[in-house]
């Protein structure tokens, strides 16, 4: 102890109360519980919708035994469901084990019994890791609320309510699990829901009767597909807003989003995601007049008359792959540190994989991966996507002559209007509803452009 300091000369009952570490000041109130319940319900509904989607496509394949397309639809849909779940649960288990900042030599598993650890490993093996994470968030939230006590200070014995050392540990664990879970939810939405929605829009174009009314379509299959698309857009939007809110919560002295700000963010994300997904799905489904709309492959470079045509599914994959590579390189250049160890050392392989995953997220929307002003990055990203979207939907409008012009006009109008709604929402959010909106208005380089 430094005996030259004034504090060292005071009696123990008059010692100034130390400030707790910033991260143990995190709160977990009613809105936190509501958020976790919404996440839990969305995850369950996502599993149910995936199971129904796989079932109706499998049933359709069994009913049409003489065609290979329905069984191909089922296999592709199943792969899109299972493979991202495997990736997410691997990341989840690793992040449970990984040392985190503020935990010193301990990780989350070190704070659990052997039985609790085994239960979490089993949940991840059966690909239900996110569910046990939601339970842990609420469990540690309740524990940190309970572990508080009144500390008497000074001659007048004034009491200050503070968390106990155990409560501080629970607060840090709760904050870290919440942050990692928000990232995992976002990764799950974009690795699974985004490809699934594009593929289901693609399949809807393979059934012209759904739009033109000239053919009979399977009502159950169509209903499940549309439900999955709507649920997927909301789940993706919610995961982005939750991730944004958890990032702010993990930074000391950052204000949480208000209900109005959260609603505006949901509108911003949902509008731009819907516009982007409709554009990509429509572009991939472009048909040559002589091509069979029932063929899921459309990878042939010739039509039924032997004429050379463009295979737009392949073109779409190439465009998205190029976009992903550009975004991954861009994110890598920003030198992210999401997979940093507790001693601030980096894990290059995991960090690179993280950059690749976030690069894939940037195929559809923007998220801020650095705690620095992001206005210029947002302008670059949205300008890039606007040009790409406009080019893709324009090509679709010109080439998709198998559909009536009125239908094409409505879809193009929908895509552009959704994008405009998204732009207006993001401007309104940062100008009026962002917790630091006054700094944004008065300081062009303000850090409050951070998400």
């Amino acid at each position: 102890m430094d005996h030259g300091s004034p504090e060292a000369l005071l009696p123990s009952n008059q010692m100034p109360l130390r400030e707790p570490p910033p991260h143990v000041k995190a709160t977990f109130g009613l809105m936190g519980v509501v958020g976790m319940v919404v996440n839990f319900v969305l995850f369950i509904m996502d599993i149910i919708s995936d199971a129904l989607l796989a079932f109706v496509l499998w049933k359709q394949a069994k009913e049409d035994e003489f065609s290979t397309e329905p069984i191909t639809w089922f296999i592709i849909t199943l792969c899109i469901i299972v493979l991202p779940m495997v990736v997410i649960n691997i990341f989840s288990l690793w992040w449970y084990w990984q040392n985190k900042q503020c935990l010193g030599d301990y990780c989350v598993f070190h704070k659990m019994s052997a039985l609790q650890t085994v239960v979490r490993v089993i949940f991840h093996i059966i690909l239900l890791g996110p569910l046990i994470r939601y339970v842990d968030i609420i469990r540690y939230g309740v524990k940190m609320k309970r572990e508080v006590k009144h500390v008497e200070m000074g001659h007048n014995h004034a009491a200050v309510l503070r968390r106990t050392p155990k409560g501080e540990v629970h607060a840090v664990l709760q904050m870290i699990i919440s942050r990692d879970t928000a990232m995992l939810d976002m990764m799950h939405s974009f690795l699974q829901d985004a490809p699934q929605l594009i593929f289901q829009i693609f399949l809807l174009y393979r059934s012209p009767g759904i739009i033109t009314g000239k053919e009979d379509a399977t009502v159950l299959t169509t209903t499940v597909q549309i439900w999955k698309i709507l649920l997927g857009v909301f789940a993706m939007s919610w995961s982005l807003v939750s991730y944004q809110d958890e990032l702010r919560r993990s930074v000391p002295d950052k204000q949480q989003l208000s209900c109005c700000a959260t609603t505006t963010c949901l509108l911003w994300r949902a509008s731009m995601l819907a516009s982007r997904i409709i554009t990509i799905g429509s572009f991939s489904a472009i048909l040559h007049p002589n091509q069979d709309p029932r063929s899921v492959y459309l990878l042939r470079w010739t039509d039924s008359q032997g004429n050379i045509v463009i295979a737009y599914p392949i073109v779409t994959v190439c465009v998205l792959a190029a976009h992903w590579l550009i975004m991954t390189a861009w994110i890598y250049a920003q030198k992210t540190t999401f997979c940093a160890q507790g001693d601030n050392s980096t894990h290059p392989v995991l960090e690179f994989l993280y950059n690749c995953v976030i690069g894939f997220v940037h195929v559809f929307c923007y998220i801020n991966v650095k705690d620095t002003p992001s206005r210029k990055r947002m302008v670059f990203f949205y300008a890039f996507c606007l040009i790409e979207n406009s080019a893709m939907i324009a090509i679709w409008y010109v080439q998709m002559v198998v559909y009536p012009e009125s239908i094409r006009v409505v879809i193009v109008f929908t895509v552009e209007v959704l994008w405009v709604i998204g732009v207006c929402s993001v401007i309104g959010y940062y100008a009026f509803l962002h917790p630091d909106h006054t700094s944004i208005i008065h300081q062009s380089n303000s850090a409050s452009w951070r998400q």
Side-chain angles (χ1 to χ4, degrees), residues 105-319:
D105 295 331
Y106 295 94
C107 71
V108 175
F109 277 164
H110 289 148
K111 301 298 181 181
M112 296 181 180
S113 65
L115 178 60
Q116 290 174 330
T117 301
V118 170
V119 168
R120 278 146 188 80
V121 172
I122 291 175
F123 264 81
H124 285 80
I125 290 176
I126 62 177
L127 305 183
L128 294 178
L131 288 182
I132 200 67
R133 278 182 165 271
Y134 300 144
V135 173
D136 282 340
I137 291 171
I138 296 178
R139 184 168 68 94
Y140 281 119
V142 172
K143 285 185 175 182
M144 79 179 194
K145 296 279 285 185
R146 290 177 177 175
E147 291 290 339
V148 295
K149 67 178 181 180
H150 287 87
V151 179
E152 294 184 356
M153 298 300 298
H155 295 290
N156 58 357
H157 302 289
V160 179
L161 189 64
R162 283 286 175 86
R163 289 197 179 107
T164 65
K166 184 181 292 186
E168 292 183 356
V169 172
H170 291 155
V172 173
L173 288 170
Q174 201 272 347
M175 183 273 294
I176 289 174
I177 297 175
S178 296
R179 184 195 63 184
D180 290 350
T181 302
M183 170 60 75
L184 289 168
D185 286 342
M186 185 183 65
M187 291 168 58
H188 171 257
S189 292
F190 283 89
L191 290 177
Q192 184 186 89
D193 288 334
Q196 191 71 273
L197 303 190
I198 292 172
F199 185 60
Q200 296 310 314
I201 291 175
F202 177 88
L203 292 185
L204 288 176
Y205 278 110
R206 300 282 71 78
S207 302
I210 295 173
I211 297 179
T212 63
K214 296 180 179 179
E215 298 180 18
D216 293 332
T218 304
V219 176
L220 178 60
T221 302
T222 304
T223 302
V224 173
Q225 286 176 312
I226 294 175
W227 176 39
K228 178 62 182 178
I229 291 171
L230 296 176
L231 178 64
V233 169
F234 179 78
M236 292 166 68
S237 306
W238 178 261
S239 69
L240 285 168
V241 176
S242 298
Y243 173 72
Q244 175 181 345
D245 202 39
E246 283 300 329
L247 281 186
R248 294 191 63 85
R249 181 170 173 266
S250 65
V251 177
D253 302 322
K254 282 284 189 179
Q255 297 182 21
Q256 298 300 105
L257 299 179
S258 65
C259 291
C260 190
T262 300
T263 303
T264 304
C265 283
L266 281 172
L267 181 61
W268 156 29
R269 296 301 192 178
S271 299
M272 288 195 165
L273 283 170
S275 175
R276 181 73 172 158
I277 289 171
I278 293 173
T279 298
I280 297 173
S282 299
F283 184 79
S284 67
I286 293 178
L287 291 169
H288 189 273
N290 294 323
Q291 284 181 300
D292 179 12
R294 293 283 181 180
S295 175
V296 72
Y297 298 107
L298 293 184
L299 303 182
R300 308 180 186 90
W301 295 93
T302 58
D303 58 17
S304 58
Q305 299 178 0
N307 300 317
I308 297 177
V309 297
I310 298 176
Y312 279 95
I314 293 179
V315 175
T316 303
V317 171
C318 292
V319 170

Side-chain angles (χ1 to χ4, degrees), residues 101 183 243 327-341 344-359 362 367-372 377:
Q101 294 180 358
M183 170 60 75
Y243 173 72
M327 292 296 115
T328 301
W330 184 44
I331 294 168
Y332 180 80
Q334 297 179 41
K335 299 180 180 179
T336 60
T337 57
F338 195 86
C339 295
Q341 302 288 340
N344 292 327
S345 63
T346 59
H347 198 298
V349 176
L350 280 179
E351 197 67 42
F352 176 74
L353 291 175
Y354 165 77
N355 290 336
C356 290
V357 172
I358 299 302
H362 275 72
I367 61 171
N368 196 23
V369 295
K370 293 287 287 184
D371 191 23
T372 57
R377 294 196 294 269

